Structure formats: C-alpha cells, structure tokens
Amino acid sequence: MHQSPHTAPAATPRPARRPSRRIAMIAAVGVLAGGGASLALAGTGNAAVAPPQRTNAAAPAATGTGLADPHKKEIAMELVSSAENSSLDWKAQYKYIEDIGDGRGYTAGIIGFCSGTGDMLELVQHYTDLEPGNGLAKYLPALEQVNGSDSHSGLGTAFVTAWKAAAKDTVFQQAQNDERDSVYFNPSVNQAKSDGLGTLGQFIYYDAIVMHGPGDDSVSFGGIRKTAMKKAKTPAQGGNETTYLNAFLDARKAAMKTEDAHDDTSRVDTEQRTFLQAGNLNLDPPLRWKTYGDSYQILTLP
C-alpha cells in the first residue's frame, strides 16, 4: 500500500486497456442526454460509424454536489485511471495512443477515444473548431475514411507522433475534457441523479459508461441499467440505494464476463463494491481499493 495520497503502484500485467469498448457505443447518447447520435453498428465491420454528436445535455452544476463537485470529479478521474492505466495520474494520458488489437483502430487520450468508433473523429473535429490549423486537422479525412474499421490507412506513425505533440497543447487537452464530459460524464451523472443516486452511484454509472459505452444493448450502459432495474428499484422509484447499486454491479459484472478479457472484474469487486459495502455512498476519503491486484489509496480530497 502506497502512503502518498495520490500515488499508484508500478503497472503490472492486466487486461488490455478498455477491451469492451463497443463499436455501437454511441447508440443511446440521445436517450441518455437528450440529443446526439442514434445509430448502432453491430460487430466490427467496415461500415462507417457516424461520429457521436456533442450533446446539449446540461452539465451538472459547476459548483455542484455529488460527482459534479470538482474535488469528487477529480477522485472519479483517478479511480477510472487506476483501472484503465494502472496509475492515478489521469492527466498523463492526454498523450496516450496505441492500437490494442481490439478491432477499434487506435485507442487514445484520457477516455480512450477510438479511430474506429467515431469519437476520435468527433474529438479532432472539436479541436479543429477550437484551433483551426492544428497539427491533427489534416488527418480528418483519414479519420473519416477509417471510421467503423480497425484500419490505419492515412494515419500510421505520423499520426501517432502528431497526437503526442498535440497533447502538449492546452487547447487539445480542453477538447479532450469537453468530449469526455459531453459524451460520458454529464450523461451518466445526470442519469444517476435522475435515478436518485448519490456520489458513489454517480461514479458507478460513469465508470460503466466509460468501459461499456452509452449504448442500449445488453452489455452497454443502457442495457446494464435495464437489467439492474428488473432486479431492484432505483431510489427515485422508492427503492433502497444500496440494494439497487448491488443489482447494478451484479449486472455490470455479468456484462463484463461476456468477454474473455474481463475475467478479472476487480474494478467492481475490490473497488466499487468495497466502497459500497463500507456504506461510503458519498465517496469520501480515505479511499483504499485494489484493481487487478494493485493497491491504491486516496487519503484526502484532491
């Protein structure tokens, strides 16, 4: 156990980074966030995927409560990074990019934007809106062409180098933050609040949508939520919060086990379930957990 409040252990072998991220990940953004993309693409074929549209869903209040509180949001970013990157330093991931061999092309950035699922294309388009002529803008045609496939055509080493160089640009960092919030954070937190969930529940939803995508099939976020609601009522429906969250985690664990890469479900078992069993519905430090066998702790609010 490391004694620094925000220090992670050295990386150890673990499942590939976010292997369950789905080609159909954008299917239910409109359902969750009041707008956005509406198509789903089954499988990993070569049909182009429409980029996920940045939604008009209101962000949780800037000074907000729950996971919208800046301190709790920082904790959420560190918790996700412990599972995705074996590190609490999520800000070091702006420059991350590689093909992890999951059929989705390049996976990159703080949330794992993929060249094959549309959200990387949407990110670079947003970056170019903010800063025309940036070093990634010239790759927009290639990103449009490879969308829906695992192809590197028109990208390759030059694109990887350009991505890492762009990651030093604060405008690109902000663009990544914007896309994370628009497609993942705001929809999941708003849905959790609508379901009557507190800070821990909001984080549980956010981590699920990051890994599984905001689709509506049985192993995407929307489907996992529907499965949980068949077993327990949400607090907004008059149910017990802990009972419902246990049902949600059970449903998520079952979804994870549909892929061999997710036989290790420790981000549920020894992270989120640990906080829930402790009754820490506010996600208050000190927090101690394990993911893929590595131990982490956050002793104080960031």
Side-chain angles (χ1 to χ4, degrees), residues 274-287:
T274 296
F275 305 149
L276 186 58
Q277 290 172 345
N280 191 354
L281 297 176
N282 289 325
L283 202 62
D284 290 326
L287 298 168

Side-chain angles (χ1 to χ4, degrees), residues 45-91:
N46 292 324
V49 179
Q53 300 172 18
R54 302 181 68 246
T55 75
N56 294 320
T63 58
T65 57
L67 215 63
D69 175 273
H71 301 293
K72 293 298 178 69
K73 186 174 183 179
E74 176 67 23
I75 286 176
M77 298 304 113
E78 293 183 7
L79 287 170
V80 170
S81 187
S82 74
E84 297 294 325
N85 308 106
S86 294
S87 169
L88 300 187
D89 187 6
W90 66 270
K91 293 179 181 178

Side-chain angles (χ1 to χ4, degrees), residues 236-249:
Q237 296 172 322
N240 177 271
E241 185 170 10
T242 299
T243 300
Y244 171 73
L245 288 175
N246 271 311
F248 184 90
L249 291 178

Side-chain angles (χ1 to χ4, degrees), residues 18 51 64 73 91 93-94 120 123 175 181 216 223-224:
R18 197 177 299 105
K73 186 174 183 179
K91 293 179 181 178
Q93 309 311 319
Y94 288 114
M120 182 180 286
L123 168 62
D181 290 349
D216 207 35
I224 293 169

